[in-house]
Amino acid sequence: MTASSPLPSYVPILVLGAIAAGFAILTILFSHLIGRPRSTPAKSATYECGMPPVGTAHARFPVKFYLVCVIFILFDVDAAFLYPWALVFRELGIFGLIEMALFVCILGGGFAYAWKTGALDW
Amino acid sequence: MSETLLRHALALSLALFAVGAVGVLLRRNVITVLMCIELMLNAANLALVAFSRSWAAVDGHVMALFVLTVAASEAAVGLAIVIALQRARDTLDVDAFDELRG
Amino acid sequence: MTALTWPQELAIRSALALTVVAFLLGLFSVMTYIERRLLAFMQFRLGPNRTGPLGLFQPVADGIKLFFKEEFVPQAANRWAFIAAPAVAITTALMAVAVIPYGGAVTMPRFDLLPEWLRGRPIPLQIAHLDVGVLYLFAVSTLGVYGIVLAGWSANNKWSLIGALRSSAQMFSYELALGLSWVGPILLAESLRIEDIVACQAGGIHRWNAIIQLPAFMIYLFAATAEVGRLPFDLPEAEAELVAGFHTEYASMKFALLQMAEYVNMITVSVLATDFFLGGWHAPLVSLQSAAGVNLGLLWFGGKTGALLFLFIWLRGTLPRLRYDQLMRFGWKVLVPAAVMHILGTAAVILWLTR
Amino acid sequence: MAETILFYALAITAFSAAFAVVLQKSALGSAFALIVVLCSLSAIYGLLGSPILATLQIVIYAGAVMVLFLFVIMLLDVRREKGGGGPRSFVPLALLFAGLLVLQVGAVLVGSELVPQSAPFDGSAKAFARRLFSQDYVYVFEATSVLIVAALAGALALARRRR
């Protein structure tokens, strides 16, 4: 039904994006205008259960988060291939199934390595 | 998409590539250098997509997807190296990493 | 019926987009009330019942209060990032609804007030008919991480940062399972358009993906619950441990926007579950699709979505929170492998059946 | 017409954001500028008739790779680094090199043969998938998985703390 549509299919998305962003900006602006800023040093200090804050929050954090993000990226790429494959796998038939199964098995090897080295344990 | 627009898309790709290259040459922070490399890869992708459109063949898009994959792998390994080096040297300056021995 | 010109088409789409956004925000405020009431009943309390009849005006009161609250940026925060984070969160949350169909088409009534070209025209309740709808959803949901990371990092508060890190790691772990659970329905419909996936499930409950793709549906439910950070997967907030996680330092409307983004995400995943697995606007029995000549599609759609939203609240009222290591282990070692296996298995079965 | 305006708006955004990537003092600022570049490029892909690449660009780049960058920037607390631009003496050399590069690649691009837009172009997801999984790309496709696994193993081995 979009083939006959006179409008490119991405235009409504731009419209929605404009509406969403406009809503967010207007809300923040509006509340900024009517809110009453009465700041004190104690209030604008970092919240740390009422104690005076110690050090900066931008200290280093565990490399674990990096590892899980790496594994995510690589499987994200996997998903990026699975989606187009799902569209045409019937035309490809058994050839396509084997092709994808091989792909997934190789990735599975990497996954098993990550599992074994404990990158998935917290 | 007129031919002029395609030419201008190629020009944009060229400009992005040049900016990325200047960044790689000038910046000292390893992470920024990696980001500039990503910029160059993106410029190449834009050229691939524009040519694909001009030749009315999807092959350019397919190659662009493979470039995306390579970029993801590159970022994963590159940043892992950055982390490892940062541990060893406690700096992110590229010039500190001119030895092969870790 | 004559074809539309592009300004007319644009007008329809914009009106639709505005309606959907307004509806979502309205539903958000109603949901805050319903959730508090239902939770209270599950815990033998009354919940908010003072503002207006049955406490129905509670959301309005909350909204007014939040608007007049003090605008506040902590001194140590990165000012612009701190302000931008809620805007990013709500924008990405609202962008996701663009490609979702909401229950068939609505035929415009033949009022004289309406312009000629609008009278009696069926309007599909979907903002954008994108060729790559499902992939677009996946893309937008991955962008949701930015709002959280930005909010947590910019506040320069340890609670916020730990909350944001946990939250983002949880989000992309489960996003993967979420995205992979959609591949099953795509395999059946052979299309990335969500309207095609719904159309594929027409003709009764035995064709719903919740039945023939039961494992994918289960994976989707787990992953969606974790993705929107609801109990038992609400580790990002974990009031008792993390002082509300990445929005510790937020107040006033900025806090409201973050909260709104969470609720909009919850509504979105419920709507998506309806479209992907519960047959969208199709009735479980073909004979129940229309009554007295009126198509009940919207009613079925709303009923299924409402049931799923109730499920989320029910879970919150019933289950205890998981530990973070349990959460990550479940996501990576159970859901992701199961989803991949399920995809290959489904494909093999389909090929074998259509051989 | 609207398409043309949109294209130039996106192109200008992408280009100025690319400049910001290079010129920003803080790595975090560079990262956000790069995200803007990626998103506008994604929109340009959409204009060039490839919705699937536009979305995949967001999924892989903006959704995953840039999150990794942000994580590492936060992980290493890069804000402490003072390293801005290189030594001044480098700047002319780098600009000269970039100028040469522009000239050379520009010559190739300007001289390139653009087929007139008469041929019908099918950039739909299905056409893309058919080409991607055709016999021509089987080996590349499988090699991709090997590449991914190699990257995964390498990244895990490098980033784990040695004991």
Side-chain angles (χ1 to χ4, degrees):
Chain A
M1 75 180 81
T2 39
S4 63
S5 166
L7 206 64
S9 55
Y10 56 82
V11 174
I13 292 180
L14 296 181
V15 173
L16 182 74
I19 292 175
F23 167 75
I25 292 169
L26 280 183
T27 315
I28 290 179
L29 219 73
F30 189 52
S31 90
H32 183 73
L33 289 181
I34 63 178
R36 301 150 298 172
R38 250 186 269 121
S39 194
T40 61
K43 197 193 281 174
S44 59
T46 302
Y47 175 71
E48 226 157 84
C49 297
M51 308 283 280
V54 180
T56 167
H58 296 156
R60 300 182 182 184
F61 62 82
V63 75
K64 207 96 228 185
F65 288 104
Y66 170 81
L67 294 183
V68 82
C69 194
V70 166
I71 303 173
F72 165 68
I73 285 198
L74 301 172
F75 282 88
D76 206 38
V77 173
D78 176 32
F81 281 104
L82 272 171
Y83 274 86
W85 175 77
L87 279 181
V88 291
F89 84 106
R90 261 182 250 223
E91 299 164 22
L92 294 171
I94 201 78
F95 162 73
L97 188 64
I98 293 172
E99 191 182 359
M100 185 46 84
L102 187 61
F103 183 83
V104 169
C105 282
I106 298 175
L107 281 189
F111 188 69
Y113 173 75
W115 193 322
K116 205 170 135 272
T117 52
L120 299 175
D121 297 318
W122 286 73
Chain B
M1 267 288 150
S2 65
E3 204 182 318
T4 347
L5 231 51
L6 280 183
R7 287 232 178 263
H8 289 174
L10 288 178
L12 175 66
S13 137
L14 172 60
L16 291 182
F17 194 84
V19 172
V22 170
V24 171
L25 289 175
L26 281 186
R27 295 302 304 248
R28 315 277 310 272
N29 186 323
V30 200
I31 296 182
T32 319
V33 170
L34 275 176
M35 281 195 263
C36 290
I37 294 175
E38 298 290 337
L39 200 57
M40 291 163 76
L41 281 173
N42 265 290
N45 256 0
L46 179 57
L48 280 175
V49 174
F51 276 124
S52 179
R53 180 64 205 252
S54 141
W55 291 50
V58 220
D59 295 70
H61 296 173
V62 174
M63 288 175 206
L65 176 58
F66 286 125
V67 173
L68 281 181
T69 317
V70 173
S73 311
E74 175 247 315
V77 177
L79 289 172
I81 294 175
V82 171
I83 291 179
L85 285 176
Q86 218 267 356
R87 277 207 199 109
R89 295 286 160 82
D90 200 33
T91 173
L92 287 175
D93 195 318
V94 265
D95 291 340
F97 307 139
D98 52 359
E99 287 171 29
L100 276 177
R101 219 149 40 84
Chain C
M1 188 154 295
T2 53
L4 291 171
T5 60
W6 72 264
Q8 294 170 344
E9 180 89 19
L10 185 63
I12 293 180
R13 303 289 177 185
S14 312
L16 203 58
L18 267 177
T19 317
V20 169
V21 169
F23 187 76
L24 276 176
L25 298 182
L27 194 56
F28 152 71
S29 46
V30 175
M31 277 299 292
T32 55
Y33 169 75
I34 294 179
E35 173 156 24
R36 287 165 72 182
R37 282 296 266 200
L38 278 178
L39 270 184
F41 286 134
M42 286 175 196
Q43 295 161 352
F44 303 104
R45 295 185 287 120
L46 279 179
N49 63 345
R50 294 305 175 91
T51 334
L54 294 171
L56 270 171
F57 294 153
Q58 187 66 39
V60 184
D62 285 343
I64 293 172
K65 186 192 87 165
L66 279 168
F67 250 118
F68 282 96
K69 276 278 178 179
E70 178 183 338
E71 192 56 23
F72 167 76
V73 179
Q75 185 198 346
N78 185 327
R79 198 180 169 81
W80 287 107
F82 186 80
I83 295 175
V88 171
I90 187 74
T91 309
T92 48
L94 286 176
M95 287 289 281
V97 302
V99 292
I100 307 174
Y102 302 93
V106 164
T107 308
M108 294 304 284
R110 296 186 175 277
F111 290 146
D112 288 345
L113 276 173
L114 293 173
E116 178 78 53
W117 51 271
L118 209 55
R119 283 176 218 158
R121 175 177 289 278
I123 294 184
L125 290 180
Q126 184 176 6
I127 298 171
H129 298 271
L130 211 57
D131 183 35
V132 288
V134 185
L135 209 49
Y136 170 86
L137 273 178
F138 192 46
V140 176
S141 71
T142 50
L143 287 184
V145 177
Y146 283 116
I148 292 173
V149 171
L150 212 55
W153 181 84
S154 66
N156 199 352
N157 176 318
K158 285 157 204 155
W159 302 116
S160 301
L161 189 64
I162 297 172
L165 285 172
R166 275 187 175 195
S167 197
S168 45
Q170 168 178 345
M171 267 184 85
F172 49 66
S173 301
Y174 280 85
E175 217 160 64
L176 205 54
L178 196 72
L180 290 176
S181 76
W182 289 334
V183 178
I186 298 173
L187 285 169
L188 287 171
E190 278 192 287
S191 169
L192 287 176
R193 291 167 179 272
I194 305 174
E195 57 265 41
D196 290 351
I197 291 172
V198 175
C200 187
Q201 302 173 63
I205 193 166
H206 62 282
R207 295 186 54 92
W208 288 6
N209 283 331
I211 307 293
I212 50 183
Q213 289 276 303
L214 185 63
F217 184 50
M218 303 298 292
I219 294 168
Y220 178 85
L221 278 187
F222 283 125
T225 318
E227 172 81 5
V228 296
R230 300 284 301 185
L231 266 167
F233 302 106
D234 77 332
L235 272 297
E237 298 190 23
E239 288 95 344
E241 304 162 32
L242 272 175
V243 202
F246 63 89
H247 43 59
T248 303
E249 293 279 12
Y250 279 93
S252 176
M253 265 337 254
K254 292 204 283 290
F255 171 76
L257 284 182
L258 286 173
Q259 205 68 13
M260 211 181 272
E262 278 183 18
Y263 271 88
V264 169
N265 281 333
M266 183 169 105
I267 296 168
T268 308
V269 296
S270 306
V271 171
L272 283 178
T274 308
D275 273 340
F276 272 102
F277 296 102
L278 295 177
W281 50 89
H282 296 299
L285 296 172
V286 181
S287 54
L288 296 176
Q289 186 65 50
S290 53
V294 181
N295 194 332
L296 298 179
L298 264 180
L299 215 60
W300 282 111
F301 191 82
K304 292 172 191 172
T305 311
L308 284 164
L309 286 174
F310 175 73
L311 180 72
F312 278 128
I313 298 173
W314 192 12
L315 284 179
R316 179 171 171 189
T318 325
L319 294 177
R321 183 181 303 137
L322 262 70
R323 270 200 335 257
Y324 198 68
D325 61 324
Q326 293 169 328
L327 173 98
M328 295 305 270
R329 193 167 352 125
F330 181 64
W332 281 107
K333 296 188 175 174
V334 178
L335 282 190
V336 172
V340 173
M341 286 296 138
H342 178 254
I343 291 168
L344 288 182
T346 307
V349 169
I350 292 176
L351 283 182
W352 189 65
L353 287 179
T354 56
R355 165 177 59 125
Chain D
M1 187 56 214
E3 206 178 38
T4 317
I5 297 172
L6 204 57
F7 173 79
Y8 287 114
L10 288 169
I12 291 169
T13 317
F15 186 63
S16 31
F19 248 91
V21 172
V22 176
L23 294 181
Q24 278 284 330
K25 278 272 174 278
S26 76
L28 204 72
S30 294
F32 284 119
L34 188 53
I35 292 170
V36 174
V37 177
L38 297 172
C39 290
S40 23
L41 278 182
S42 152
I44 289 180
Y45 295 163
L47 279 181
L48 286 170
S50 179
I52 188 149
L53 208 60
T55 41
L56 285 179
Q57 160 99 350
I58 299 283
V59 167
I60 296 182
Y61 251 122
V65 175
M66 287 320 291
V67 176
L68 191 66
F69 270 101
L70 284 185
F71 263 39
V72 171
I73 291 170
M74 298 195 305
L75 174 78
L76 301 180
D77 190 14
V78 179
R79 294 210 311 180
R80 296 178 313 160
E81 292 298 316
K82 289 175 199 72
R88 288 288 142 211
S89 59
F90 252 18
V91 176
L93 206 62
L95 290 181
L96 180 72
F97 179 78
L100 283 178
L101 196 73
V102 167
L103 279 183
Q104 198 199 336
V105 183
V108 174
L109 287 187
V110 169
S112 64
E113 183 188 350
L114 287 185
V115 183
Q117 292 304 298
S118 53
F121 174 60
D122 182 10
S124 70
K126 267 222 159 107
F128 172 84
R130 266 186 211 119
R131 198 78 194 97
L132 173 58
F133 292 99
S134 65
Q135 307 273 353
D136 300 348
Y137 291 103
V138 176
Y139 298 114
V140 189
F141 174 65
E142 298 299 344
T144 308
S145 70
V146 178
L147 171 75
I148 295 174
V149 169
L152 178 66
L156 290 188
L158 277 167
R160 256 179 320 134
R161 207 167 279 280
R162 297 197 191 98
R163 41 207 123 220

